[in-house]
């Protein structure tokens, strides 16, 4: 069971573009993986001509707000392999965790979170790592089980493995979450309602690369309040209602005309 890494990006500045290129180089150490980059914007801006042959670059026209859910769903449907590794374009996980996660998701469970702590690199640390093309310090003592304003790391946040068949069965990410916030937690709630056949490699640490982020791109986003309210309603649903929602979103994701523009 080979793996397709899926990430979705909008290269709004040079920092995110450089982070993406380093992240792709990091994951090319998994030689049998396909790396699928779904770029979404009004027009393509990424130059993928120098990328590894392992990398597949797909452009999805989206002049509106960045929609991680849309991009990830597109990538999942275009993936060549039955095991998905859905990953932010600036998150690094050690090779040992990738190998363990792949094995667990292939042989024992249907989804795996491959890390239990996250180390947030500062701007100068990220710049030094990218300039030297070195190896991240996965033993960083600052690594924590929370991020941002004390938020717990979501099971489906940052990076996680999931069988493509299961991702489709639960209807993928909810594309009503726009901008920043909520979509990772929402997927985790749906997944937990659908199955308990889940694994975690919680002793491993992931590293997050720095990039500029204005308040309008996080908690100050014009969509954050509606995202949060939608997530709160989801968290209060009964399991019966969650399974009904999953059935509806499965049909939406399976619409054969829905993603034609990503072909």
């Amino acid at each position: 069971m080979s793996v397709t890494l899926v990430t979705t990006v909008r290269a709004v500045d040079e920092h995110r573009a450089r982070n993406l290129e380093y992240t792709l180089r990091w994951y090319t150490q998994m030689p049998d993986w396909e790396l699928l980059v779904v770029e979404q914007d009004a027009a393509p801006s990424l130059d993928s001509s120098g990328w590894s042959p392992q990398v597949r670059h797909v452009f999805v026209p989206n002049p509106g707000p960045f929609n991680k859910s849309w991009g990830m769903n597109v990538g999942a449907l275009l993936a060549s392999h039955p095991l998905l590794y859905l990953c932010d374009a600036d998150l690094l996980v050690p090779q040992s965790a990738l190998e363990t996660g792949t094995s667990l998701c292939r042989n024992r469970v249907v989804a795996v979170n491959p890390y239990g702590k996250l180390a947030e690199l500062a701007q100068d640390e990220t710049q030094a790592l990218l300039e030297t093309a070195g190896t991240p310090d996965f033993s960083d003592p600052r690594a924590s089980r929370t991020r941002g304003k004390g938020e717990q790391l979501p099971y489906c946040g940052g990076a996680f493995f999931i069988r493509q068949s299961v991702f489709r069965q639960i209807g993928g990410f909810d594309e009503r979450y726009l901008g920043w916030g909520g979509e990772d937690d929402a997927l985790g709630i749906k997944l937990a309602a659908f199955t308990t056949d889940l694994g975690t490699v919680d002793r491993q640490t992931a590293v997050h690369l720095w990039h500029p982020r204005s308040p309008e791109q996080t908690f100050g986003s014009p969509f954050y309040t509606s995202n949060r309210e939608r997530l709160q309603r989801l968290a209060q649903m009964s399991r019966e209602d969650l399974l009904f929602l999953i059935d509806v979103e499965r049909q939406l994701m399976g619409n054969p005309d829905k993603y034609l523009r990503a072909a």
Side-chain angles (χ1 to χ4, degrees):
M1 187 183 290
S2 298
V3 178
T4 294
L5 177 153
V6 177
T7 193
T8 184
V9 295
R10 175 174 290 177
V12 296
D13 56 56
E14 63 177 3
H15 300 283
R16 291 179 192 261
R18 291 182 66 199
N19 286 353
L20 170 65
E21 291 186 0
Y22 179 90
T23 300
L24 292 175
R25 286 199 301 271
W26 176 255
Y27 285 107
T28 57
Q29 69 184 304
M30 308 301 288
D32 59 340
W33 283 27
E34 172 189 43
L35 310 182
L36 180 55
V37 177
V38 179
E39 180 186 7
Q40 52 175 294
D41 210 334
S45 63
L46 292 173
D47 179 6
S48 57
S49 59
W51 293 358
S52 164
Q54 280 179 250
V55 182
R56 192 172 153 207
H57 177 203
V58 175
F59 175 72
V60 182
N62 176 19
F66 182 76
N67 190 326
K68 174 181 174 178
S69 298
W70 167 271
M72 288 298 199
N73 288 350
V74 168
L77 291 174
L78 295 177
S80 302
H81 300 308
L83 188 59
L84 303 176
Y85 178 71
L86 304 179
C87 182
D88 288 349
D90 50 18
L91 193 107
L92 314 169
V93 173
Q95 184 176 3
S96 58
L98 298 175
E99 292 170 347
T100 300
T102 300
S103 178
L104 285 172
C105 207
R106 176 186 295 136
N107 300 310
R108 295 177 54 187
V109 294
V110 301
V112 175
N113 183 299
Y115 65 98
K117 292 183 179 181
L118 183 67
E120 301 267 8
L121 296 191
Q123 180 177 4
D124 60 335
E125 295 170 319
T126 298
Q127 183 175 345
L129 180 63
L130 269 57
E131 288 178 351
T132 62
T135 300
D137 180 9
F138 293 110
S139 63
D140 193 325
R142 299 168 300 176
S144 172
R145 294 186 182 274
T146 61
R147 67 178 308 179
K149 296 184 178 180
E151 295 181 318
Q152 293 294 316
L153 299 176
Y155 186 87
C156 295
F160 66 100
F161 292 93
I162 188 169
R163 295 183 188 180
Q164 187 188 60
S165 59
V166 173
F167 187 76
R168 293 192 184 205
Q169 283 180 291
I170 64 174
F173 280 99
D174 187 334
E175 296 172 11
R176 294 174 296 173
Y177 291 86
L178 300 176
W180 182 86
E183 72 284 334
D184 297 335
D185 300 90
L187 185 65
I189 291 172
K190 290 200 304 178
L191 183 61
F194 183 78
T195 181
T196 58
D197 193 12
L198 308 173
T200 303
V201 189
D202 58 3
R203 293 188 179 183
Q204 295 280 2
T205 294
V207 168
H208 179 249
L209 302 174
W210 177 91
H211 56 79
R213 180 179 284 172
S214 67
E216 291 74 23
Q217 294 173 316
T218 54
F219 295 99
S221 163
F223 307 103
Y224 179 70
T225 298
S226 60
N227 286 353
R228 183 175 180 181
E229 290 173 351
R230 179 171 288 110
L231 180 62
Q232 289 173 338
R233 291 194 297 271
L234 185 73
Q236 293 167 2
M237 281 186 181
S238 66
R239 184 171 184 272
E240 181 181 7
D241 287 342
L242 281 170
L243 292 177
F244 176 76
L245 175 65
I246 286 171
D247 187 50
V248 171
E249 293 190 340
R250 179 191 304 125
Q251 295 178 56
L252 290 173
M253 189 179 184
N255 183 336
D257 298 325
K258 191 170 190 299
Y259 299 98
L260 283 178
R261 63 178 179 170

